[in-house]
Amino acid sequence: MSQSRFKIYSHTAIEPDTWAEIDLMQIRENLLAIRNYLPASTKLMAVVKANAYGHGDVQTAKEAALAGADYLAVAFIEEAIRLRHAGLTLPILILTPIRPELTPLALEYDLMLTVTQASWFQEMRAYKPIHTKHKLQVHLKMDTGLGRIGIRTRQDWQELVPWLLAPDILVDGFYTHFATAGHADTSYLEQQIQRFQDMKRWSSELPMPINHYHCAGSVAALRFPELSMDMVRIGAAMYGFYPKQHKQSLELKPAMSLHSRLLQTKRVNKGDYIGYDNAYQAQTEQWIGTVPIGYADGWTQRMQLTDVLVGGCRAKVIGKISMDQLMVQLPAYVPPGEKVTLIGGAGEESISIQELAEHIGSVPQEISSSITNRVTRTYKRSGGKTNERIPSKASAL
Ligand SMILES: *Cc1c(COP(=O)(O)O)cnc(C)c1O
């Protein structure tokens, strides 16, 4: 699948016109900074779903393991199996329930499952005999107010309990996810926390202890370290995405930049149209550049009127973004072949993924995870201030 396609790109001698550059050292520095910020007893689960938010799942997971992550998390079972095939041995939690018939695969690959209802166990039993030597490891997901997946009522919980007592089930975790961790008004967050505390009390009625209670993603964990509990699930912050209104002592920097090259430069006349549907009309004579990236690369049409950097200057994306190309208004003539930066710095200027996210009314991770397979990922290690303190987890590779 995507892996083989990526190989074809990277094994040919063709240098791509458009590429995303991932600084693995930055991912490591972010993780080490987060680790140091959190209580020492809190475990760190590195969330590498969606191709590690576009950064490359295997490369990121290996880097996270080197930086001392205790767990990995993905959304779907296929993502977890890819990591196992790549040699990752850390515990992996699948955050979305899998279909019961895939349970044998979860056992084969030693994956932890998210469970949200009794009926799942009932159906799962058709595929897993009770008396096999392998325990099925599960994390129970509580819906405390996000309204997405999870147990909501005491009755749902009570229906689940008998299934948890089976000798081949190991309840490794009990968790929830917040809807408004970044909001200035924390009242809904407090409601969810209260709800989770109540549900934790239900769980204490079980005859066995549960190893990990966890509720915090990046924003909750870094804004309120007291919510860290036994484990935090860190995605966005590891990639350097963190809402600037909550900036505190720890310094996180984005690990991804995105670049292309000018394909063509032309002088257009006053009144000339640019792009589909004549969406842009030149009001004066001007220089227009064409860049070979479009919505099929994940650069959505919502990016119209954002800036790119060409020759160290900002240039506006004008007209409609098409599937493979977009046009920019250049401040002056720039020769074809010149580097274009869509995310990141060039010279004095820089374009942050946060700025782009604000333009499209979304979050940085929507942009990074939307960058498609057609864009080659290149990896570098900027080095610098990281001390090579590689925890013993390195052996986990
Ligand atoms: C994606 C996800 C996370 C990671 O959230 P970030 O805000 O990116 O840190 C944590 N928990 C769950 C349940 C998720 O789906």
Side-chain angles (χ1 to χ4, degrees), residues 189-298:
L189 176 65
E190 284 161 40
Q191 262 183 50
Q192 281 199 264
I193 296 166
Q194 188 52 53
R195 187 100 187 99
F196 193 53
Q197 296 299 352
D198 294 343
M199 289 172 157
K200 273 175 80 172
R201 272 193 289 282
W202 304 348
S203 78
S204 65
E205 293 159 13
L206 289 175
M208 66 282 188
I210 295 179
N211 296 332
H212 303 102
Y213 288 92
H214 49 112
C215 64
S218 291
V219 174
L222 298 181
R223 200 176 162 206
F224 306 108
E226 63 274 19
L227 292 178
S228 299
M229 301 186 185
D230 300 308
M231 185 144 71
V232 292
R233 304 183 302 268
I234 301 294
M238 159 169 61
Y239 307 104
F241 306 153
Y242 191 69
K244 59 177 181 293
Q245 64 268 30
H246 305 310
K247 272 282 180 282
Q248 62 312 70
S249 57
L250 91 172
E251 196 193 355
L252 303 171
K253 289 197 205 125
M256 177 191 278
S257 58
L258 178 67
H259 311 274
S260 188
R261 292 189 189 285
L262 262 191
L263 190 63
Q264 187 188 322
T265 303
K266 58 183 163 282
R267 187 82 179 154
V268 302
N269 295 318
K270 176 171 190 232
D272 284 355
Y273 290 107
I274 300 293
Y276 282 124
D277 302 327
N278 292 348
Y280 178 81
Q281 186 176 32
Q283 299 303 306
T284 57
E285 226 185 290
Q286 59 195 258
W287 290 103
I288 300 290
T290 302
V291 186
I293 182 172
Y295 58 75
D297 301 291

Side-chain angles (χ1 to χ4, degrees), residues 45 47 49 53 73-75 95-96 141 146 148-149 175-177 214-220 232-239 241 365:
M45 175 185 274
V47 182
K49 62 191 179 188
Y53 295 32
V74 293
L95 297 165
T96 313
K141 179 76 181 284
L146 179 57
R148 201 164 65 177
I149 52 170
Y175 76 109
T176 194
H177 198 46
H214 49 112
C215 64
S218 291
V219 174
V232 292
R233 304 183 302 268
I234 301 294
M238 159 169 61
Y239 307 104
F241 306 153
Q365 52 269 44

